[in-house]
Amino acid sequence: MKNEMEKDILKVLYSEEEIRARVQEMGNALGEQFQGKNPLFLGVLKGSFVFMSDLVRACPVKSDVEFIAVSSYGNGTESSGRVKIVHDIQQDITGRNVIVVEDILDSGNTLAFLKEYFLTKGASAITIVTLLDKPSRRKKAITADYAGFVVPDEFVVGYGLDYGQKYRNLPYIGVLKPEVYAE
Ligand code: IMP
Ligand code: MG
């Protein structure tokens, strides 16, 4: 069956195969760092859900999985700057090694807020893992411990990342055609 989203994509930045290989490398590196440390993978919804599911399977250590849902974007391509918790974590994270899993680190507003939040909730260490890093747009002093790919200042979709809640289910990461924003 033809993929009806394909016609909206200007170019593919990272193919399914490239993503798979990079996620496996990250999983291995996290495995080395966290072996025997029972880390808690904490995914930031909704964008991280695809990356999270691949990353935890690529990381061969005993770990738990948790999610938090935040919103800062509205439905456009610019961050509002305010981070709102839409669905909070459902467990005590006191003393835990928390691996925060994000789709993209852009202005840094979301992760700066969440890092502080998880520390006040008692996490003993926070490791930030992001699939994509867009350092050119950073507003907060925050860096990822692990970043899959450094991306140029373009709005990207796919592999969990959305535009107006769509395109999350594309298996690759691509750039949308400008006319899609204009619609
Ligand atoms: P930050 O708070 O500005 O760092 O933004 C983080 C959130 O903004 C991410 O979790 C994404 O949901 C969203 N975001 C930032 N850049 C993009 C993009 O290029 N495509 C899709 N979503 C993005
Ligand atoms: Mg988003």
Side-chain angles (χ1 to χ4, degrees), residues 44 47 72-73 77 79 83 102-111 134 137-138 154-157 161-163 168:
V44 184
S72 67
Y73 251 57
T77 61
S79 171
V83 181
E102 251 286 33
D103 54 353
I104 184 166
L105 176 51
D106 186 29
S107 71
N109 286 329
T110 307
L111 282 175
K134 225 190 247 181
R137 305 218 333 151
R138 201 78 86 249
E154 282 179 298
F155 195 80
V156 296
V157 297
L161 293 123
D162 72 303
Y163 172 66
R168 295 192 195 275

